[in-house]
C-alpha cells in the first residue's frame, strides 16, 4: 500500500517551506527531514515569494498568528505555481483573531489540504463551536460512535472548500468529497506531547509535495505513517520504561525508518 | 505528601497560558503536558486577553523580552479573574532593559509567584547585583552555608511583593512571608541543560493553576516534582551512559510518570 | 591534540551570546552548555550592546533574518572589545534578501570566523551560485575529488575576508589564508537532523570565545568535536535501533562528555 507515494517521496526529496509557530518549529523541521524531505522555515516577508517558488510543498500553521503577510505572499505564489498548500488552523475557534485570520487566509489562498483536530475542523465546517487552548475539547473527541458523522462532515467541508480535509484524533479521518479514509492507528500518548498535530501537518507538506497529483492518497499515507510511528514508538517507550519525551524521540525515529512493509503490516484503514 | 495538590492537578487538567521565550518554549509546553496540564503558547496581543480568560494559570517569562504588551494585557485580565500569574524574571540584573521591564510588569500586575535563580531574586530583593548571561553567578550559588539567609531574604521579599517566592538552586527555597520550604532534591546536571528554570516556572503555572487556594504548597510540590525528576533522571542517564540531552529526555519522562508515592519516597524537605 | 584549547574552554566557561534563528535556538543553547559554555540568547536591540559586552564569544546566525539591527549593534560592540564574532550565513544565495543581509553585515562587522556549507561559502567566495532550502545542493557536496579545490577556495576567502573559514560537509574544511585543516570525521546522518550546521557554529562560538588568540586551532577542535560526536552517536544509535531523533540526543550527549583522549583516538585530520 502507498508504494507509489513513498517512492515519489524518496525520489523527489521535496523541499517543504513552513511558515509555522515557534513552539514546535524544530519538531516540524526534524520530521520533514525524517521522512526524506528538506525543510526551510523561511518566513520573512522580504523573501518568502522567492523561497516559496523553489519549494514542492508549503505548510501554513496558524499557531502563533504572526507572519500573516508572509503566509499570504507565499500562499499566492504557490497557487500560481501549482504547488500544494497545506493549512493547519491551530486553535481555530479559540479567539476572534484566529477566526478572522482563517477567513482572510481562505479568501486569498486555495488550499490543497486543511488538517486540524475535530474541534478546529468542526468550527470551520459549521461556523460554531470553540476550543480551549490548542487541544480538541472533550466533547469533540473522535470515537467509534461519531466517526461516521465526522467523516460525513469532512466530505461536506471538502466539497465546500475544494480541498482534502484531514481530521486528527483517536481515529484519523482523511476525506475528499467522495471518499473518506478512516485510519485506526496511533496511540493516546500522542496527545501528551506538544506538536503531534503540527508534525502531522508538516508530514502532509512533504507527502503532498512529492505527490501533487494524488493528494488524497498522499494524505492518507502521511497520516498512516504518523499513526503507525506513534504506536510503534509507544511500544518501544513502554519497554524502555520511558515517558513522554522518550516517546517523542522514538516517534520521529520511526518516521525516519518507516517503510511500506511496516505500513502494510500495521495499517488499519477503512475507505467509505 | 501533596496528595491533594496532585489530585487537583489531575482533575482540573489546568490550561496554562505561557508568554515565554522562544529558546525553551517547546520544553515548557512539553513539561506542562507531562504533568497533566494543557499548554497554550498564545501571545499575540490581539488575542491574549481572550485566551487568558480561558486559562487556569498564566506564566510570564522575561527570557527574550518581546511581547511586553501581551504580558500586561494577559496579566491584568488574569488579575481581574483571580487566575494565578507566575513570573520568571529571566536575566534580571543583566541589563537596564530587563530591570525596567520587571518594574513595569510589577507595577501593572499582581503576581502569585515569582521564581528565579538566586542572582535574579537577590537583584529584585535588594535592587543591587547583576547577572552574566542567564545562569546564577557563582557567588550567588545556594549552599548549606547561606541557605537560611536566602530563606530569610525570600520571606522578606514575599512580604514586600505579597506573593510566593521560589528560588532555584542546589537547594531550592519556596517561601511566603511566614514559612520557607527548603527542598534538597535535584542534581547539578540540571544546570547543564537550557530551560531547567523555565520548565520549573511552567510547572508552577500548572500546579498553581489547579490549586489556586493553596499556592505555597502547590509551589513546593512543583519544585519537589522537578527536583526529584531531576535526580531520578540523572541516575537513569548514568546507567544508560548518556549525557546532557539524554538527561533532558529522562527529566521530562519522570515528570510525566510522577506519583505521590515517588514524591513521598524521595522528598527531602525542611520547613522553617 | 587540542589539549590547550579544551583546557581553556573548561577554565573560561565562555558566555556565548547568540543572535540566531528560532528553529534551532534550543539545540544551540544546549550544545553550548554541553561543551562547558554558558549561552545567552538575548537579541533585543534594547539590550544587546550591554549583554554582548559581557560575553566571550558572539554568534550571528542568518537563519530567519530577523534581528538584523541587533546583529549590527552586538557585532560592532564585540569588535570594539576584541570579542570573536562568528557568522553563519544560513541560506546564503537562496534569496536576494539573504545576499544583501550578508553584504551589510560584512560591511559593518569584522568576523573572526565564517562557517557554512559548501553552497553558502562558494556563494560568498565567488558571488555566484544558489541554494535551494537550507541544505547544500548536490553539486556542491564535498568529496575526495574536490576537497583540495574547496580548501584552496577557503584559503582564498580567508585572505579576502581576513577571518577563518569553516566549510561543513562530508569532509570538513577549516582554513586561514595559509593553512587548511581537512577533517574526515562525522557521519552522513548528521544531515538528517535540523541544526547540525547551527550547532557547529554555536560550538565555534564557545571554542573561539575561550581561545581568542588561537582561532584556527579553536575552530579545528570544535569541528572535530562535532564530527567525532556525530560518528560516536551514530554507532550508539545503530546499536539502540534508533532513528534520527535518538541520534540528535546522542550527538549532544557525546559533546557533553567529550575529552581530548577521545579526540586523539578518533580524529582524522590532514593539514595542508
Amino acid at each position: 500500500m502507498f508504494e507509489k507515494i513513498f517512492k515519489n517521496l524518496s525520489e523527489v526529496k521535496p523541499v517543504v517551506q513552513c511558515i509555522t509557530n515557534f513552539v514546535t518549529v524544530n519538531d516540524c523541521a526534524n520530521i520533514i527531514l525524517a521522512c526524506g524531505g528538506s525543510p526551510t522555515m523561511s518566513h520573512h516577508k522580504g523573501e518568502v515569494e522567492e523561497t516559496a517558488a523553489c519549494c514542492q510543498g508549503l505548510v501554513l500553521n496558524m499557531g502563533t498568528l504572526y507572519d500573516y503577510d508572509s503566509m499570504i505572499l507565499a500562499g499566492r505564489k504557490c497557487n500560481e505555481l501549482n504547488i500544494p498548500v497545506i493549512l493547519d488552523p491551530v486553535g481555530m475557534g479559540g479567539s476572534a483573531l484566529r477566526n478572522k485570520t482563517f477567513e482572510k487566509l481562505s479568501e486569498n489562498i486555495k488550499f490543497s489540504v486543511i488538517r486540524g483536530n475535530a474541534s478546529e475542523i468542526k468550527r470551520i465546517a459549521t461556523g460554531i463551536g470553540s476550543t480551549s487552548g490548542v487541544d480538541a475539547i472533550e466533547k469533540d473527541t473522535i470515537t467509534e460512535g461519531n466517526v461516521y458523522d465526522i467523516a460525513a462532515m469532512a466530505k461536506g467541508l471538502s466539497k465546500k472548500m475544494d480541498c482534502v480535509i484531514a481530521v486528527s484524533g483517536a481515529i484519523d479521518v482523511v476525506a475528499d468529497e467522495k471518499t473518506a479514509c478512516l485510519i485506526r492507528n496511533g496511540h493516546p500518548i500522542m496527545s501528551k506531547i506538544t506538536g503531534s498535530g503540527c508534525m502531522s501537518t508538516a508530514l502532509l507538506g512533504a507527502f503532498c509535495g512529492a505527490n501533487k497529483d494524488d493528494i488524497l492518497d498522499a494524505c492518507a499515507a502521511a497520516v498512516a505513517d504518523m499513526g503507525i510511528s506513534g504506536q510503534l514508538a509507544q511500544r518501544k517507550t513502554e519497554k524502555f520504561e520511558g515517558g513522554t519525551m522518550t516517546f517523542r524521540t522514538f516517534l520521529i525515529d520511526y518516521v525516519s525508518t518507516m517503510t511500506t512493509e511496516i505500513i502494510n503490516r500495521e495499517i488499519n484503514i477503512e475507505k467509505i
Side-chain angles (χ1 to χ4, degrees), chain A residues 139-198:
Chain A
K139 73 176 170 62
D140 292 332
T141 304
I142 305 180
T143 63
E144 292 297 343
N146 67 12
V147 66
Y148 296 97
D149 292 340
I150 286 173
M153 178 187 76
K155 282 182 179 178
L157 185 59
S158 173
K159 186 171 183 180
K160 184 178 156 197
M161 303 284 297
D162 189 21
C163 72
V164 168
I165 302 295
V167 196
S168 299
I171 307 166
D172 293 307
V173 176
V174 178
D176 64 13
E177 61 175 287
K178 292 181 188 160
T179 309
C181 307
L182 313 187
I183 300 174
R184 289 174 176 87
N185 289 103
H187 189 276
I189 196 178
M190 294 172 83
S191 67
K192 303 304 284 178
I193 58 168
T194 192
S196 285
C198 302

Side-chain angles (χ1 to χ4, degrees), chain A residues 12 40 50 62 101 146 172 184 229 234-235 241 256:
Chain A
V12 174
T40 167
E50 206 176 337
M62 275 173 41
T101 301
N146 67 12
D172 293 307
R184 289 174 176 87
S229 294
Q234 190 276 331
R235 286 181 216 156
E241 299 180 14
S256 77

Side-chain angles (χ1 to χ4, degrees), chain A residues 101-131:
Chain A
T101 301
F102 172 78
E103 270 170 46
K104 289 206 177 168
L105 289 173
S106 57
E107 278 164 25
N108 282 282
I109 303 167
K110 165 75 180 66
F111 305 119
S112 293
V113 187
I114 300 176
R115 190 217 65 83
N117 64 38
S119 297
E120 291 154 355
I121 297 296
K122 197 172 159 188
R123 183 61 172 74
I124 294 173
T126 65
I128 52 172
S130 66
T131 55

Side-chain angles (χ1 to χ4, degrees), chain A residues 208-266:
Chain A
C208 293
N211 291 281
K212 71 179 182 181
D213 299 323
D214 200 359
I215 296 291
L216 184 68
D217 256 28
C219 289
V223 167
D225 186 349
M226 189 74 183
I228 291 168
S229 294
Q231 66 197 40
L232 296 175
Q234 190 276 331
R235 286 181 216 156
K236 188 167 174 178
T237 300
E238 208 173 293
K239 271 191 205 164
F240 191 66
E241 299 180 14
T244 53
M245 273 310 90
T246 289
F247 170 76
R248 179 184 62 181
T249 300
F250 292 169
L251 171 68
I252 301 177
D253 275 0
Y254 276 106
V255 171
S256 77
T257 54
M258 185 56 64
T259 62
T260 50
E261 288 70 36
I262 301 175
I263 297 277
N264 284 330
R265 192 185 70 215
E266 300 284 345

Side-chain angles (χ1 to χ4, degrees), chain A residues 54-123:
Chain A
C54 300
C55 76
Q56 278 75 50
L58 174 68
V59 171
L60 305 179
N61 177 305
M62 275 173 41
T64 42
L65 287 182
Y66 292 102
D67 306 306
Y68 166 78
D69 293 339
S70 296
M71 289 190 185
I72 297 287
L73 289 168
R76 283 179 172 167
K77 177 56 75 179
C78 287
N79 282 171
E80 257 177 64
L81 299 173
N82 196 25
I83 297 166
V85 182
I86 323 297
L87 179 75
D88 190 332
V90 179
M92 182 71 194
S95 78
L97 180 63
R98 275 168 202 270
N99 300 346
K100 201 173 152 187
T101 301
F102 172 78
E103 270 170 46
K104 289 206 177 168
L105 289 173
S106 57
E107 278 164 25
N108 282 282
I109 303 167
K110 165 75 180 66
F111 305 119
S112 293
V113 187
I114 300 176
R115 190 217 65 83
N117 64 38
S119 297
E120 291 154 355
I121 297 296
K122 197 172 159 188
R123 183 61 172 74

